[in-house]
Structure formats: structure tokens, C-alpha cells
Amino acid sequence: MTKVTLLGDSIRLIGYGKSVPGLLGSEFSVYQPADNCRFAKYMLRMLFDYREVMENCEVVHFNVGHWDLCELFEEGAFSTEEEYRENLIRIARILKSRHKKVIFATTTPVRNENRYNKNSTIARFNEIAIEALVKEGVVINDLNALLVDDIERYICTDLIHLTDEGIDTCAKAVADIIRENANGL
């Protein structure tokens, strides 16, 4: 049995994370915290607390970004681009030192009416994440690319979270990439 960990913000917690274990089936044991992993820095901190439960985990799939790039006060994102990059690199290095395969999911799009998270900022933060994490040997699961061409279909009326169809689409992509990367471990 392949042990898998899913880490991420509410896109995972109330979204795709609910469906991935069932899609992976009995060949996989899936751990995911009941906690929203929020910012990249929060996730980095929580890797200490999750260490024991993640022991012997072979594949880790994580997403983080919406909280980092959120602009509540009209003075820029909560995390600077450099903070986001550095925290992702630290997360990747810790995970790579403990687990055989590490997969990062890009930040999903939002509806254009969202005042606090903008698709242009999401695109920039995803670009930063992909560039940094590929250099660290992390596999990229581009969930944003799956959803961005039909946002109204995949993002619900709260302007940020996944619709049922968005959950299904992302869950299938997450399960598929985990299965693909667990093959041969």
C-alpha cells in the first residue's frame, strides 16, 4: 500500500481532498490534516507537527497560494513574491528530504468579481512557484490550467472555492498524478 499525504488550503480541505481517497482506492492510504494549511509559511511551520503522521509517506501532494497572494488592504499581497518563493523552496526541500515524490498543485483561478484575489496575481505567483519548484525536483500539477478557461463552471459563487464539477475535475487530476508518480516506488 502506498502512503500519500495531501496538504493544502481550503481548495484541498473542502474541495478535492474529500474525493481523492476514494478515487485512489484501497491501494493507497491517504492522510490529510483536518486543518486548513493557509499560507506557505504556516504550512512550513506545520510540517514540524505533521512529521510523525507523515512518516513513511511516499508521495506528498500540496497546494498553497490563495492566502499568500490575497490583497485585503489594497497595499499588495500578504506575502511578497520573494517570501512566497523562499517558503515554497523550504517546504520542497523538507518534503524532498523525507519523501520519495513531491507534487505541487498550482493555485486555482477565481471569479473575476473577486476583489481580494486576482487572476493576474495568481498567474504571477504560479509562475514563481513553477520556476522555483521545478528546480527543486518537484512535480507540477497545473490545476489552474485545468480550470482557467471555464471559471464560471468550476469556481462557485463565493468567487474562490470549487464547484462540484471543479472538485471532481481537480480530484481526478490529483488522483491521476499521484497514481502516476507512485508507480514504481
Side-chain angles (χ1 to χ4, degrees):
M1 180 177 297
T2 302
K3 188 173 178 183
V4 174
T5 296
L6 301 178
L7 299 174
D9 57 26
S10 58
I11 301 303
R12 184 246 344 144
L13 182 66
I14 63 171
Y16 68 78
K18 298 185 304 183
S19 301
V20 169
L23 291 173
L24 287 174
S26 61
E27 296 175 24
F28 293 84
S29 168
V30 179
Y31 165 73
Q32 53 186 318
D35 190 13
N36 180 330
C37 294
R38 300 176 184 91
F39 299 93
K41 191 161 215 153
Y42 183 84
M43 182 182 290
L44 177 62
R45 161 58 184 92
M46 295 310 292
L47 290 179
F48 181 83
D49 291 0
Y50 302 149
R51 187 176 186 150
E52 274 187 39
V53 73
M54 290 176 66
E55 193 172 348
N56 299 316
C57 175
E58 295 167 287
V59 180
V60 176
H61 183 284
F62 76 103
N63 77 281
V64 65
H66 276 298
W67 288 55
D68 290 279
L69 60 85
C70 188
E71 300 178 32
L72 292 180
F73 303 108
E74 299 178 10
E75 61 180 19
F78 275 131
S79 298
T80 66
E81 292 179 2
E82 189 57 33
E83 286 171 327
Y84 186 62
R85 176 186 294 109
E86 290 304 314
N87 285 325
L88 287 179
I89 290 169
R90 291 176 71 191
I91 291 166
R93 288 179 178 168
I94 291 167
L95 292 176
K96 294 275 297 174
S97 73
R98 297 177 184 172
H99 311 286
K100 294 178 182 177
K101 286 287 185 174
V102 178
I103 304 163
F104 174 78
T106 58
T107 300
T108 52
V110 295
R111 289 204 183 193
N112 290 327
E113 311 89 88
N114 189 316
R115 293 176 41 208
Y116 307 110
N117 293 51
K118 297 174 182 67
N119 285 317
S120 59
T121 308
I122 291 169
R124 176 66 186 137
F125 273 58
N126 280 339
E127 180 182 296
I128 290 164
I130 291 168
E131 180 183 320
L133 294 176
V134 165
K135 288 178 184 174
E136 296 297 323
V138 173
V139 175
I140 304 298
N141 185 6
D142 198 351
L143 296 183
N144 186 283
L146 285 177
L147 309 181
V148 74
D149 290 333
D150 201 349
I151 292 172
E152 301 295 315
R153 177 177 170 195
Y154 295 122
I155 305 302
C156 70
T157 56
D158 74 357
L159 310 179
I160 196 167
H161 293 103
L162 304 172
T163 62
D164 288 344
E165 194 167 359
I167 289 170
D168 292 345
T169 300
C170 289
K172 181 181 182 321
V174 171
D176 287 349
I177 203 164
I178 288 171
R179 197 175 290 108
E180 176 185 323
N181 282 276
N183 193 16
L185 289 180

